[in-house]
Amino acid sequence: VTGASAWPAAEPIETARLWLEPQREDHADEMASVLDDVRLHTFIGGEPATASLLRQRYARQAAGQSPDGREGWLNWIVRRRDDGAPLGTVQATLRRGGDAMTAEIAWVVAIGHQGHGYATEAAGALASWLQRRGAAILTAHIHPEHGASIAVARRLGMRATGTMVDGETRWIGGETRDGIRFQAPTPDD
Ligand SMILES: CC(C)(COP(=O)(O)OP(=O)(O)OC[C@H]1O[C@@H](n2cnc3c(N)ncnc32)[C@H](O)[C@@H]1OP(=O)(O)O)[C@@H](O)C(=O)NCCC(=O)NCCS
């Protein structure tokens, strides 16, 4: 495909403590060790990826969109500004339904760095950035017993819907830190 993607591209995002760096293929080795813990997969399934698998995944994701162009794929490495330590990742999958752009977001923080509010800070900044880039609807899918992730979604001002998708509850947002509300999705979003 030549020409510009139909989707916004990931850009660096800065928060009080964090630096969200657009993910590149050469982050794979570093992230493979950061994310090498089966406990990160308790609620999301799967297992830790080897560096080589992660390199392939990051290379695919670097396209910024699905092969058919119907989804935008935006991924960031989350770093601590203090020392540059990689803490985890955040991602957004963009889709269009009618006029509205929907962003589905997800977050991961390494076991040793959890409990410091990093996921909330990273995902909150991501939600604001997405809204500035035109996302009208924010969604996330969270296992109903995943207390930490539910807490993050609540802190973002998201609320649980009655919809389950593959055993996960659909959450919708919400209000960004800038106080701007996301729309309620229609049933097809
Ligand atoms: C979900 C996850 C990103 C949270 O990361 P984190 O940086 O520790 O999150 P934060 O520190 O911003 O917030 C965690 C919140 O969960 C709360 N929490 C932690 N464990 C909890 C539990 N077992 N039950 C209820 N709440 C819990 C914390 O108290 C905190 O809430 P608070 O801010 O109101 O005090 C991290 O646990 C993770 O990566 N898990 C594995 C991957 C995953 O499941 N990703 C989410 C897919 S939807």
Side-chain angles (χ1 to χ4, degrees):
V1 183
T2 53
S5 163
W7 305 102
E11 297 173 323
I13 300 172
E14 211 176 285
T15 72
R17 295 179 296 167
L18 306 175
W19 174 251
L20 277 55
E21 186 184 12
Q23 180 188 284
R24 299 186 314 261
E25 186 180 343
D26 65 11
H27 287 130
D29 287 347
E30 176 183 34
M31 293 314 290
S33 67
V34 171
L35 302 175
D36 184 17
D37 196 309
V38 289
R39 287 172 291 178
L40 291 175
H41 294 269
T42 308
F43 295 107
I44 55 178
E47 56 188 352
T50 61
S52 120
L53 268 174
L54 214 53
R55 214 172 300 123
Q56 292 170 34
R57 185 185 302 162
Y58 286 6
R60 276 196 308 277
Q61 291 173 337
Q65 57 178 14
S66 58
D68 65 8
R70 288 171 158 272
E71 294 181 344
W73 291 347
L74 281 62
N75 292 270
W76 288 262
I77 304 302
V78 179
R79 287 186 195 281
R80 191 161 51 204
R81 282 171 55 178
D82 266 5
D83 56 2
L87 307 175
T89 62
V90 290
Q91 60 177 211
T93 305
L94 306 180
R95 301 185 182 90
R96 276 203 185 80
D99 285 345
M101 184 162 87
T102 298
E104 176 177 345
I105 59 172
W107 42 76
V108 177
V109 169
I111 295 288
H113 296 298
Q114 292 180 3
H116 298 285
Y118 291 142
T120 303
E121 189 167 322
L126 175 60
S128 296
W129 184 89
L130 286 164
Q131 191 162 57
R132 289 198 300 277
R133 290 293 172 280
I137 295 163
L138 189 70
T139 70
H141 291 92
I142 302 175
H143 191 284
E145 286 156 23
H146 193 356
S149 221
I150 288 171
V152 171
R154 285 222 175 95
R155 292 221 149 193
L156 296 192
M158 300 182 82
R159 62 186 171 79
T161 68
T163 306
M164 299 290 290
V165 182
D166 296 334
E168 296 183 319
T169 306
R170 185 156 199 269
W171 286 69
I172 58 170
E175 197 167 321
T176 67
R177 281 181 310 171
D178 319 328
I180 306 163
R181 292 201 65 78
F182 285 97
Q183 291 173 19
T186 58
D188 299 336
D189 288 323

